[in-house]
Amino acid sequence: MDLLKAAALLERAYRLAHLLQGEGLLEAESSQFVSDELVAVLDEARVALFAACELPKSI
């Protein structure tokens, strides 16, 4: 389940990055919002991936 969550978050980050690539279309305030959102989404994806990689503690 964590991998699926990470994949969905990475897809969202990918779309946000595309918005930033067309930066000329965004106003400065909008661009800042999108970049802040991108960082937040990438952080969530990173946490989800680390959680998915953890080994069971009962081994």
Side-chain angles (χ1 to χ4, degrees):
M1 186 67 167
D2 285 327
L3 286 177
L4 186 58
K5 179 181 177 181
L9 289 166
L10 288 172
E11 178 63 27
R12 185 163 181 221
Y14 179 77
R15 291 172 191 243
L16 289 168
H18 274 281
L19 280 175
L20 287 175
Q21 276 187 328
E23 190 176 319
L25 303 174
L26 297 175
E27 295 177 13
E29 190 174 304
S30 296
S31 181
Q32 184 63 48
F33 173 79
V34 171
S35 63
D36 290 346
E37 186 69 14
L38 178 57
V39 169
V41 169
L42 287 171
D43 187 50
E44 284 184 59
R46 179 183 61 84
V47 169
L49 284 171
F50 280 127
C53 292
E54 286 185 4
L55 295 175
K57 307 273 190 253
S58 61
I59 294 181

